C-alpha cells in the first residue's frame, strides 16, 4: 500500500471519532495525527465512546502493565461493537509494531477492524476506507517512511507537542523503544520552525519539542546543526512564550545546550534527565553509557549555570541483578540530587530486549518493596522542593480551569510545577505573576499578583 494523499475535508458528515491514548508524549502526538486524518474523512472528535463511529486506541508497550491495561480496554470495546456493528475499531502504535506481535493480537481481539504500527500513520485514511469497503485490514511495516509530517490543523491550542526526531540508537538493555521506533531520524529544522510558526499563528503559546533523545538531534545532518542550535532558533520565534523539550539522555547533554537554556528567553528552566539507576554496575548492565559520577557532574554543571533549574527523572527498580546495595545507591542518588519530581518504575521484562534474558531477575515482592521505599524518599523531596517555592513569585502560563476544582484556574511555572489559584477565565493563555502560598507534593496553591498586589489585598 502506498502513501495516501490527504483527502479534502468533509465537514458535512456527522460521524464521530474517539481517541484513547496510552504511553508517552510521542504516542499522544501520533494519536493527534490519527485524529486529524480521521477529521479529514469527516469524523468529528468526541470524548464519548458510546457515540463514536470510530474508536482509535494508540498503544504503548514500554511496560507489561501498560499492555495489560490496553488489552483490557480493547476487550471492553467488544460490547460496543456488538451494540453498533457499524463501529470501526482501530488499534495503532508501539504495541502493534513489536516484532511478532500482530498475529497474537489479531487472534486475541478479532473484533478490531484496523491494526497499524508506528511507521505508517500516513496510510491511515486508506486503511479506514479499506475497512469500510472491503473489511478488516492490518498493516505493520518494518522500515520507517521518510519523515513527512502532516500539516497540523489545530486552532487555539495553547500548548502543543512538536516532533523533532524519531527513533533511538541507544539500545538500553531494558527498553523496547528502539525495536519499535527504529533508528534516529531528525526532522529538518526549517520544517520544525515552520510548524511552530503555524501553531503560534493559531494561538499556541508553548511548545514541547519531542524525541527519544533530543540531545542527539541533528547527528544525522551534515554540516552539523545540533539541538542547541535548534533551541536557539525556536527561542526567536515571535509570539511563542515558552519552549520545553523531552527527553534528554545524560550522556549527550552538552555544555553548549546548558548554556543555551540559561540564555534563552523562552527556554524553560526544566530538564528531564532520566538516571534509571544510581549504581554503576547496574548502569553498565543497562548500557546507559555513563557512570553515577558523570551523571552527578552533569547535574552540578546544570545547577551552576541554571541555578533555579527544576530537574526531573525516570528511575527503574528491580533491574536484573540489582542487589540491596545497588538499590541503596539509587536511593542515595535521589537524596543527593533532590529532583522536583521522579517517575519511578518496576522493571518490566520486554521480550526481544537483552535484559529479558539476563540472569538474576528480581522477584516481584522485592521490586514492589523497593519501589515503595524510593517513592517515599522522592515524595519528601518533591514536597521540600515545592515548600522552598512558597512566598516567592513565579511566572505562570494560565492553562484553564482546574480539573479537581473547576472554580479555580491552573497553570504551570517555567519549572513545570502545577499551580492552582483563583482568577478570571480571561487570564487563560496569559503569562502572569503568581505568589506561591501553599505546597503539596504534586501541586502548589498560589495567588495572582496584580500590579504588585496580591488578589485579596
Ligand atoms: N521496565 C520498566 N521501566 C522501563 N522504562 C523503559 N523500559 C522499561 C522497562 N522495561 C522506563 C524508563 C524510561 C521510561 C520512559 O520508561 O525509565 O525512561
Ligand atoms: Fe529506551 Fe534508552 Fe532509547 Fe530512552 S534512550 S528510548 S530508555 S533505549
Amino acid at each position: 500500500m502506498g502513501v495516501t494523499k490527504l483527502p479534502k475535508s468533509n465537514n458535512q458528515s456527522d460521524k464521530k471519532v474517539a481517541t484513547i491514548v496510552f504511553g508517552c508524549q510521542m504516542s499522544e502526538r501520533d494519536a493527534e495525527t490519527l485524529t486529524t486524518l480521521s477529521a479529514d474523512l469527516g469524523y468529528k472528535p468526541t470524548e464519548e465512546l458510546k457515540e463514536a463511529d470510530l474508536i482509535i486506541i494508540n498503544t504503548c508497550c514500554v511496560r507489561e502493565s501498560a499492555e495489560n491495561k490496553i488489552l483490557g480496554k480493547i476487550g471492553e470495546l467488544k460490547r460496543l461493537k456488538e451494540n453498533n456493528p457499524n463501529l470501526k475499531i482501530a488499534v495503532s502504535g508501539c504495541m502493534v509494531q513489536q516484532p511478532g506481535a500482530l498475529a497474537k493480537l489479531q487472534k486475541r481481539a478479532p473484533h478490531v477492524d484496523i491494526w497499524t504500527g508506528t511507521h505508517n500513520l500516513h496510510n491511515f485514511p486508506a486503511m479506514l476506507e479499506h475497512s469500510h469497503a472491503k473489511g478488516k485490514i492490518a498493516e505493520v511495516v518494518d522500515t520507517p517512511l521518510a519523515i513527512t509530517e502532516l500539516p497540523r490543523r489545530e486552532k487555539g491550542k495553547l500548548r502543543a507537542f512538536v516532533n523533532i526526531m524519531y527513533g533511538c540508537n541507544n539500545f538500553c538493555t531494558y527498553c523496547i523503544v528502539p525495536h519499535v521506533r527504529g533508528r534516529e531520524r531528525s526532522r529538518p529544522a526549517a520544517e520544525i520552525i515552520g510548524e511552530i510558526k503555524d501553531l503560534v499563528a493559531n494561538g499556541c503559546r508553548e511548545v514541547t519539542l519531542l524525541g527519544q533523545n533530543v540531545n542527539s538531534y541533528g547527528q544525522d545532518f551534515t554540516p552539523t546543526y545540533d539541538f542547541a542550535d535548534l533551541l536557539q532558533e525556536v527561542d526567536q520565534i515571535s509570539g511563542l512564550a515558552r519552549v520545553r523539550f523531552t527527553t534528554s539522555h545524560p550522556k549527550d547533554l552538552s555544555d553548549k545546550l546548558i548554556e543555551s537554556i540559561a540564555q534563552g528567553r523562552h527556554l524553560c528552566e526544566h530538564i528531564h534527565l532520566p538516571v534509571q539507576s544510581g549504581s554503576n554496575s547496574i548502569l553498565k548492565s543497562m548500557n546507559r553509557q555513563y557512570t553515577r559520577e558523570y551523571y552527578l557532574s552533569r547535574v552540578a554543571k546544570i545547577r551552576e549555570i541554571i541555578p533555579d533549574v527544576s530537574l526531573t527523572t525516570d528511575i527503574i527498580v528491580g533491574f536484573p541483578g540489582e542487589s540491596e546495595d545497588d538499590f541503596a545507591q539509587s536511593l542515595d542518588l535521589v537524596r543527593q540530587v533532590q529532583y522536583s519530581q521522579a517517575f519511578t518504575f518496576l522493571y518490566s521484562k520486554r521480550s526481544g530486549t537483552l535484559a529479558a534474558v539476563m540472569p538474576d531477575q528480581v522477584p516481584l515482592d522485592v521490586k514492589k518493596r523497593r519501589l515503595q521505599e524510593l517513592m517515599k524518599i522522592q515524595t519528601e523531596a518533591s514536597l521540600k522542593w515545592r515548600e522552598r517555592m512558597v512566598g516567592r513569585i513565579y511566572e505562570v502560563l494560565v492553562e484553564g480551569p482546574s480539573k479537581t476544582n473547576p472554580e479555580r484556574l491552573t497553570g504551570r511555572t517555567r519549572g513545570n510545577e502545577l499551580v492552582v489559584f483563583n482568577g478570571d477565565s480571561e487570564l487563560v493563555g496569559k503569562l502572569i505573576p503568581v505568589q506561591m502560598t501553599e505546597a503539596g507534593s504534586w501541586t502548589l496553591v498560589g495567588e495572582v499578583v496584580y500590579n504588585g498586589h496580591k488578589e485579596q489585598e
Side-chain angles (χ1 to χ4, degrees):
M1 189 184 270
V3 176
T4 320
K5 277 216 173 115
L6 287 183
K8 290 229 169 63
S9 167
N10 165 15
N11 291 325
Q12 307 309 312
S13 158
D14 57 3
K15 288 185 291 183
K16 297 206 169 102
V17 55
T19 312
I20 306 171
V21 190
F22 290 87
C24 64
Q25 293 98 328
M26 268 146 278
S27 175
E28 228 174 281
R29 178 69 203 109
D30 283 352
E32 280 177 357
T33 300
L34 292 174
T35 312
T36 303
L37 288 171
S38 312
D40 285 334
L41 289 183
Y43 289 85
K44 293 196 180 79
T46 175
E47 289 185 2
E48 284 300 320
L49 292 184
K50 278 199 191 115
E51 62 175 37
D53 305 279
L54 167 65
I55 298 178
I56 302 171
I57 302 192
N58 204 51
T59 60
C60 168
C61 60
V62 105
R63 280 172 294 277
E64 197 183 351
S65 51
E67 284 203 323
N68 290 339
K69 247 193 250 165
I70 295 164
L71 289 170
K73 193 78 207 171
I74 297 173
E76 275 172 35
L77 299 185
K78 199 168 170 188
R79 259 228 327 266
L80 284 181
K81 179 107 179 161
E82 280 161 7
N83 293 340
N84 173 13
N86 292 327
L87 170 68
K88 295 285 176 202
I89 299 176
V91 180
S92 52
C94 289
M95 193 165 124
V96 188
Q97 186 71 42
Q98 284 176 99
L102 179 62
K104 282 187 222 150
L105 288 168
Q106 281 175 309
K107 204 161 155 212
R108 185 159 174 166
H111 57 291
V112 170
D113 300 280
I114 301 169
W115 295 98
T116 176
T118 52
H119 294 325
N120 45 343
L121 299 186
H122 298 72
N123 280 346
F124 191 67
M127 284 184 248
L128 194 52
E129 283 184 337
H130 178 111
S131 83
H132 280 293
K134 298 186 184 150
K136 295 188 191 326
I137 179 165
E139 188 187 271
V140 176
V141 296
D142 291 339
T143 326
L145 297 171
I147 302 174
T148 31
E149 282 286 314
L150 293 156
R152 301 182 70 147
R153 290 180 261 286
E154 303 122 49
K155 301 258 186 269
K157 193 171 185 194
L158 198 58
R159 302 158 75 217
F161 292 133
V162 175
N163 287 318
I164 64 162
M165 60 192 298
Y166 301 90
C168 180
N169 290 354
N170 291 312
F171 286 95
C172 301
T173 55
Y174 50 81
C175 187
I176 193 74
V177 170
H179 304 266
V180 291
R181 291 268 172 186
R183 298 296 71 73
E184 286 173 4
R185 288 101 61 207
S186 304
R187 275 182 82 193
E191 222 180 83
I192 298 169
I193 304 284
E195 181 172 321
I196 299 175
K197 284 184 175 165
D198 276 355
L199 283 165
V200 172
N202 283 297
C204 175
R205 306 238 48 214
E206 175 182 304
V207 291
T208 303
L209 308 179
L210 297 181
Q212 305 296 344
N213 174 17
V214 290
N215 298 341
S216 61
Y217 174 82
Q219 279 181 12
D220 45 346
F221 293 156
T222 27
T224 346
Y225 176 95
D226 65 17
F227 183 52
D229 297 324
L230 178 69
L231 273 184
Q232 286 167 19
E233 227 180 303
V234 174
D235 190 36
Q236 303 302 319
I237 295 176
S238 151
L240 186 62
R242 285 179 170 184
V243 184
R244 303 185 183 281
F245 57 88
T246 195
T247 289
S248 279
H249 196 303
K251 78 174 164 61
D252 301 311
L253 186 87
S254 67
D255 287 358
K256 177 177 167 190
L257 176 60
I258 303 173
E259 273 148 21
S260 303
I261 299 167
Q263 282 155 20
R265 277 189 55 209
H266 308 294
L267 309 182
C268 290
E269 295 78 12
H270 168 218
I271 303 183
H272 182 61
L273 199 62
V275 66
Q276 313 296 3
S277 169
S279 149
N280 278 337
S281 79
I282 296 297
L283 286 172
K284 188 151 198 265
S285 160
M286 286 176 162
N287 187 34
R288 288 294 289 175
Q289 303 170 65
Y290 55 81
T291 59
R292 169 191 176 92
E293 291 73 26
Y294 182 78
Y295 183 91
L296 289 172
S297 74
R298 290 284 76 195
V299 168
K301 184 81 186 177
I302 295 168
R303 290 224 159 109
E304 175 198 325
I305 300 189
I306 320 169
D308 253 349
V309 70
S310 161
L311 289 176
T312 55
T313 201
D314 293 342
I315 307 175
I316 298 175
V317 300
F319 183 81
E322 186 188 68
S323 65
E324 289 303 329
D325 184 55
D326 292 318
F327 174 60
Q329 301 271 323
S330 290
L331 292 183
D332 183 70
L333 184 135
V334 168
R335 276 198 202 95
Q336 210 173 314
V337 175
Q338 293 287 305
Y339 296 104
S340 55
Q341 197 181 359
F343 300 90
T344 52
F345 306 107
L346 290 182
Y347 166 71
S348 169
K349 210 180 199 183
R350 303 285 67 205
S351 138
T353 62
L354 282 175
V357 291
M358 284 181 184
D360 303 325
Q361 298 281 330
V362 176
L364 185 61
D365 57 336
V366 176
K367 286 198 260 193
K368 283 188 174 164
R369 194 249 304 146
R370 288 182 188 169
L371 188 71
Q372 290 306 319
E373 270 186 62
L374 178 62
M375 283 167 66
K376 184 165 175 282
I377 287 174
Q378 181 51 43
T379 307
E380 285 162 14
S382 296
L383 183 60
K384 217 164 125 195
W385 177 266
R386 282 162 181 71
E387 278 171 347
R388 190 189 125 269
M389 295 172 68
V390 172
R392 289 162 67 180
I393 297 172
Y394 289 82
E395 174 202 282
V396 167
L397 175 62
V398 187
E399 288 172 19
S402 153
K403 277 199 189 111
T404 48
N405 185 352
E407 305 279 283
R408 309 185 90 185
L409 295 173
T410 54
R412 276 168 203 274
T413 63
R414 289 170 71 99
N416 210 30
E417 286 94 5
L418 197 63
V419 191
V420 184
F421 49 93
N422 288 326
D424 196 283
S425 62
E426 278 181 13
L427 293 176
V428 174
K430 299 209 164 83
L431 289 176
I432 57 163
V434 175
Q435 182 165 36
M436 305 303 149
T437 55
E438 216 179 294
S441 294
W442 308 111
T443 50
L444 286 140
V445 180
E447 286 173 11
V448 182
V449 179
Y450 294 99
N451 301 323
H453 299 285
K454 277 195 285 174
E455 195 184 8
Q456 278 98 342
E457 287 171 350

